[in-house]
Every structure is written in C-alpha cells, then in structure tokens.
C-alpha cells in the first residue's frame, strides 16, 4: 500500500514541477500587455491569477496565451491537491508501520515511506546496522593516502534512499540543535562539510535501523 501510494505521489510531484516550469517559461513569450499584469507576483498569487483568467473567443495571441496559462495553473493546483491527499495517506500508513521513524526529527512520512519500501524489498539483506548502511550507500569507504587517514562517500547503494537520508541531514543541520552543535564542533576540528555530512548520514542510518527494529510486528494468527 505504501509503495503504490508513493509511486502515485512521486509522479504527481514531477508533473506539478513540470507544470510550473512550463508556466514560467510561457510567461516569457506571452504578449507584453499580459506579461505586465503577471510580473512580480508571488508563486501562489500567480497561480490564482492565471487560474482565473478568462480567455474568451480564441481570436488572438492574448486569448491563446490566457487559455494556456489557465490550463497550466489549474493543472498545478489540481496536482497540488492530489499530492496533499497522497501525503495524508502516507502519513497514516507509515505511522501504523513505524511510528518512531515517522516522529523522528526531519524524517516525516515521505522519507519513512522510502525507507519502508526499501526494507520491504530487501528483507534478507538487512541483518545489521552495517548492512543497512551499505544498502543505503552511507557505509564509509577508506580513502587514505600516505599519512592522511580519511573516508569518503559510498557511491553505491539504493540512490533514492540515499537521497532521502541526505535531505533529512540537511534539515537537521539547519533546525536540529544537537546536529547544529555537532557540525560546529566538527568544523572546529578541521572537518570539511562533505565529511560532516557523510558522518551524519551514517549516524542517521543507525538511528533509522533502530526505529525499524522497534516497529510493531504483525500479529500471527493460528
């Protein structure tokens, strides 16, 4: 159920993004009188204005531009509402399966869904924290040279899961005080931002693994 809902949501997000990109690109080429009315508006104000355009008879480039802008704006709004519905379903489903994971700082339903999908696809591979880290592409790889001892990012693993972990780390680096303190301390030690992110992703993978282990197990009926 989570996989099906996540697929529908992801495709809707891509379509919504494409609708906005196309709308803004079209604004560059519309007649001057129409472009001047829509220039300088915020994103939502622009969408609402375009969605309410009245093209009238299709007898001029202004009318055709209004019709196209209205169609794109209404498409974006429809997709946005669809995405919100998918998000509500994902929150319900993921909370049932892994409440500790969903409630962790910066994770939320979308990332939890990605984690649970990967776990469900690879149950035989996830036997330890290290195995999960390797699957997620956050297991450190030695990259020492001469007298320098260091590790680098792992470019393997499940790329969607790896990207989800990266987004959580970036959120925590901005808004999670313990993570902010850790970044400050490690920066003072001479670590680069890339090295700090690598370590944080590894720590996050460990935290997620523990949350997965603690999730409710389905009841066994006899």
């Amino acid at each position: 159920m989570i996989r099906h809902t996540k697929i529908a949501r992801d495709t809707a997000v891509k379509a919504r993004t494409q609708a906005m990109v196309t709308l803004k690109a079209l604004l560059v080429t519309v007649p001057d009188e129409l472009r001047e009315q829509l220039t300088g508006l915020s994103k939502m104000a622009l969408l609402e204005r375009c969605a309410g355009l009245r093209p009238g008879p299709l007898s001029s480039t202004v009318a055709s531009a209004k019709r196209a802008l209205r169609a794109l704006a209404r498409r974006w709004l429809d997709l946005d509402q669809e995405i919100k519905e998918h998000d509500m379903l994902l929150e319900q489903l993921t909370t049932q399966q892994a409440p500790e994971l969903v409630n962790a700082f910066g994770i939320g339903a979308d990332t939890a869904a990605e984690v649970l999908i990967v776990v469900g696809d690879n149950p035989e591979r996830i036997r330890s924290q290290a195995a999960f880290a390797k699957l997620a592409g956050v297991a450190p790889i030695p990259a020492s040279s001469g007298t320098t001892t260091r590790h680098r990012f792992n470019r393997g693993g499940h790329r969607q899961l790896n990207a989800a972990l990266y987004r959580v780390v970036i959120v925590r680096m901005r808004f999670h005080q313990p993570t902010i303190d850790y970044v400050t301390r490690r920066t003072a030690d001479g670590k680069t931002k890339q090295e700090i992110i690598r370590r944080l992703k590894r720590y996050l993978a460990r935290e997620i693994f523990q949350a997965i282990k603690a999730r409710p197990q389905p009841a066994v009926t006899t």
Side-chain angles (χ1 to χ4, degrees), residues 169-176 179-180 183 193 197 200:
V169 166
I170 296 302
V171 169
R172 290 187 174 187
M173 288 175 68
R174 294 186 60 186
F175 304 109
H176 188 230
T179 303
I180 295 172
V183 172
K193 183 178 180 180
I197 290 176
L200 287 172

Side-chain angles (χ1 to χ4, degrees), residues 6-205:
K6 185 74 162 58
I7 290 172
R9 181 192 184 278
D10 289 347
T11 54
V13 169
K14 290 180 181 179
R16 184 183 64 176
T17 301
Q18 185 60 47
M20 177 56 71
V21 170
T22 306
L23 188 149
K24 289 186 175 180
L26 184 60
L27 279 176
V28 178
T29 63
V30 300
D32 292 342
E33 58 184 283
L34 180 58
R35 184 170 60 251
E36 291 174 359
Q37 297 175 23
L38 302 174
T39 300
L41 297 176
S42 64
K43 184 178 77 171
M44 293 309 300
L46 174 64
L47 288 166
E48 292 174 1
R49 182 74 65 84
C50 289
L53 289 173
R54 297 180 179 180
L58 197 62
S59 57
S60 66
T61 55
V62 173
S64 61
K66 285 183 177 180
R67 184 177 183 278
L69 290 171
R70 184 179 67 176
L72 290 168
R74 291 182 176 181
R75 183 184 307 168
W76 191 99
L77 293 171
D78 289 342
L79 287 167
D80 187 61
Q81 181 59 38
E82 178 185 337
I83 292 167
K84 290 178 180 178
E85 294 174 359
H86 292 318
D87 286 338
M88 291 177 60
L89 287 173
L90 282 177
E91 185 172 1
Q92 294 174 10
L93 293 170
T94 54
T95 300
Q96 292 172 4
Q97 290 297 315
E100 290 189 12
L101 183 61
V102 177
N103 293 329
F105 192 99
I107 292 183
D110 187 59
T111 300
E114 191 67 61
V115 171
L116 293 172
I117 290 170
V118 174
V119 170
D121 287 341
N122 303 272
E124 74 286 349
R125 295 179 59 184
I126 306 174
R127 301 180 179 179
S128 64
Q129 292 180 7
F132 179 75
K134 186 174 182 180
L135 178 62
V138 297
I141 296 178
S144 302
S145 176
T147 59
T148 302
T149 302
R150 70 181 186 89
H151 294 78
R152 68 171 177 85
F153 277 110
N154 186 344
R155 302 301 177 186
H158 193 282
R159 303 321 301 162
Q160 286 75 25
L161 177 57
N162 187 283
L165 297 185
Y166 177 82
R167 291 192 295 269
V168 175
V169 166
I170 296 302
V171 169
R172 290 187 174 187
M173 288 175 68
R174 294 186 60 186
F175 304 109
H176 188 230
Q177 192 58 48
T179 303
I180 295 172
D181 295 340
Y182 176 84
V183 172
T184 302
R185 186 170 67 255
R186 283 315 214 171
T187 301
D189 292 340
K191 300 297 182 182
T192 65
K193 183 178 180 180
Q194 188 177 35
E195 290 174 324
I196 294 171
I197 290 176
R198 178 187 62 76
R199 290 168 179 260
L200 287 172
K201 287 168 73 176
R202 179 65 180 89
Y203 297 152
L204 178 60

